[in-house]
Amino acid sequence: MTGLLQQVWVPFAPEQASSFAPEVDALYLYLTLLTLFFSVGISLAIVYFAIKYRRRAPTEVPRPRAGAIALELTWTIIPLMISMTIFVWGASLYFKLYRAPEEAMEIYVVGKQWMWKFQHREGQREINELHVPVGARVRLVMTTEDVIHSFYVPAFRIKMDVVPGRYSYAWFEATKTGKYHLFCAEYCGTNHSGMGGYVYVMEPNEYQAWLSGGATDSPAAQGKKLMQDRGCATCHQEDTVLRAPALRGLFGSDIPLADGSQQRVDEDYVRRSIEEPQAQIHQGFEPIMPTYKGQLSAEQLLQIIAYLRSIGSDTRGGGATMTTTEGRAGGTTTGAGPVTGGIPPDTQRSNPVGPTTPAAGRVGQQPSSTTTGTGQGRRAGGGGANSNR
Ligand code: CUA
């Protein structure tokens, strides 16, 4: 189906460079043709009836007409069916776009007046440039340091707001190597128009080479160090319950709160627990933690999250809604393989960047680069856990 859709030529559309692009364009084309059909049809009908039923004599009085049930039902039911096709098609595509698959390489994104900052799991940082491998699923965990911005890559057909005080997510799978515009699509101040750059889609081996370029710690390692530096370890230990729950296995799990409710430990919960520690207390623990609001930057918060995720119970998904991969379903499976080298939706993989066969993927990921400390090790670990599922 994807193959077919890729041949659909849509006027004025940007280049198609992600697995979504042909599908979004096809829906758009459908909407456009539908609108054209009815606009032209109604306009012609107006002209035709105006002439056909024109007043022929100054004294002419129109004949009164009673209701026509059959006609009214027809022009109600047919448009209802047509609008439902738009709804069903649009909703299914929306779910694909906004439900990130569990198996994806994660990149942290921070918007700031007026730039986009990225950090890869291996540690590399970029500003206004984003390098990604072709044919791999990329999940973006995004937030902002100041005001609302909107992350927009037209060639990928993705656009997602970043909002102060919360995390938003987007994902894509690039299908073509190249250089694509990146924009901020939400007016955010003086230099809004200059807040953008490029996404570089590279062959996987080039991407690996690029990754090994600048050696830095992984965000997870930086988060761990940050927690040590800030003295968090006095109460927060990986495996020991001190004045706070043990950190290992916490991220991604459901914990009981003091008020008796359940809470999924996700990005937003971690941030809230750091900035407003009294808000949602883990059952059985005292509300003794001071607030760190304003003391950590958006990137530092993401590093702590990366660290907790790396020792969490679910190193992949972001929560219950993320566990499904049916985002890729809907008939794209057959087309996706050969075209993108992408991952079939039913395959769980430890390294989305590597070759498609899981075994080969694990072999390929071991050596890679000198850049990574905990990052690679954790990924390999995650792969083991996944294959046991
Ligand atoms: Cu950021 Cu507009």
Side-chain angles (χ1 to χ4, degrees):
M1 184 167 154
T2 308
L4 182 100
L5 291 179
Q6 257 157 356
Q7 278 143 37
V8 175
W9 176 75
V10 183
F12 310 115
E15 203 174 341
Q16 298 178 339
S18 80
S19 54
F20 298 135
E23 299 187 51
V24 173
D25 286 359
L27 176 59
Y28 230 89
L29 186 67
Y30 174 66
L31 288 173
T32 310
L33 292 178
L34 208 58
T35 311
L36 259 178
F37 175 78
F38 281 101
S39 307
V40 171
I42 290 170
S43 306
L44 291 179
I46 289 174
V47 173
Y48 174 74
F49 287 131
I51 294 169
K52 184 173 181 197
Y53 296 107
R54 70 185 181 279
R55 201 187 210 193
R56 286 155 207 271
T59 52
E60 188 177 317
V61 177
R63 235 179 327 136
R65 276 210 62 98
I69 289 292
L71 184 63
E72 288 185 19
L73 281 179
T74 310
W75 76 42
T76 305
I77 290 171
I78 292 179
L80 175 72
M81 308 286 265
I82 294 174
S83 48
M84 287 312 282
T85 63
I86 302 173
F87 167 71
V88 171
W89 191 347
S92 73
L93 192 53
Y94 179 89
F95 280 116
K96 269 190 210 181
L97 284 163
Y98 290 102
R99 201 186 286 164
E102 195 179 351
E103 284 294 303
M105 52 177 279
E106 204 157 71
I107 294 175
Y108 299 111
V109 183
V110 176
K112 174 182 190 284
Q113 285 170 323
W114 289 276
M115 63 180 80
W116 291 105
K117 300 191 280 188
F118 302 96
Q119 185 165 23
H120 295 252
R121 283 186 99 160
E122 291 77 5
Q124 268 73 5
R125 295 169 175 284
E126 313 183 62
I127 289 180
N128 290 343
E129 286 190 349
L130 174 61
H131 290 76
V132 292
V134 68
R137 298 163 170 185
V138 177
R139 178 172 182 254
L140 304 171
V141 178
M142 310 195 289
T143 188
T144 166
E145 270 183 43
D146 35 50
V147 299
I148 300 180
H149 305 275
S150 186
F151 183 89
Y152 181 34
V153 184
F156 294 170
R157 309 292 189 275
I158 58 164
K159 185 196 276 178
M160 178 53 89
D161 280 8
V162 295
V163 182
R166 53 168 283 199
Y167 294 96
S168 43
Y169 310 90
W171 80 281
F172 61 85
E173 178 179 328
T175 51
K176 251 166 73 178
T177 55
K179 179 182 175 187
Y180 305 102
H181 269 293
L182 157 70
F183 294 105
C184 174
E186 179 81 49
Y187 180 70
C188 55
T190 316
N191 292 329
H192 155 73
S193 62
M195 182 173 168
Y198 292 95
V199 178
Y200 295 88
V201 179
M202 315 166 88
E203 292 295 343
N205 53 345
E206 288 172 29
Y207 176 73
Q208 286 300 343
W210 176 86
L211 266 188
S212 48
T216 30
D217 278 346
S218 72
Q222 288 169 324
K224 181 172 186 172
K225 184 167 180 305
L226 187 63
M227 284 189 72
Q228 283 159 355
D229 293 348
R230 293 299 175 101
C232 306
T234 10
C235 300
H236 293 281
Q237 294 275 323
E238 280 190 15
D239 298 300
T240 325
V241 178
L242 290 177
R243 274 152 289 195
L247 297 176
R248 190 176 303 281
L250 203 58
F251 195 96
S253 67
D254 291 305
I255 56 163
L257 295 183
D259 65 6
S261 61
Q262 289 276 319
Q263 170 69 40
R264 169 65 54 103
V265 180
D266 57 9
E267 285 88 348
D268 281 312
Y269 178 74
V270 171
R271 177 191 215 141
R272 206 173 310 121
S273 298
I274 293 170
E275 297 192 330
E276 306 164 49
Q278 318 296 329
Q280 290 176 294
I281 297 287
H282 190 302
Q283 204 172 67
F285 292 90
E286 293 299 314
I288 49 172
M289 178 172 157
T291 175
Y292 283 79
K293 198 177 177 67
Q295 298 180 37
L296 296 164
S297 70
E299 280 139 313
Q300 288 175 319
L301 283 168
L302 280 170
Q303 286 161 0
I304 291 177
I305 287 168
Y307 165 55
L308 294 180
R309 179 190 283 280
S310 72
I311 56 168
S313 61
D314 179 6
T315 57
R316 291 279 134 204
T321 53
M322 303 288 180
T323 53
T324 168
T325 51
E326 75 188 38
R328 296 267 326 192
T332 61
T333 321
T334 43
V339 177
T340 68
I343 316 148
D346 47 349
T347 310
Q348 293 288 309
R349 287 173 48 183
S350 58
N351 180 7
V353 185
T356 302
T357 21
R362 215 161 298 129
V363 171
Q365 110 188 38
Q366 298 298 351
S368 288
S369 63
T370 51
T371 60
T372 49
T374 46
Q376 287 279 6
R378 170 170 47 71
R379 275 218 248 152
N386 280 326
S387 57
N388 289 338
R389 270 184 200 166

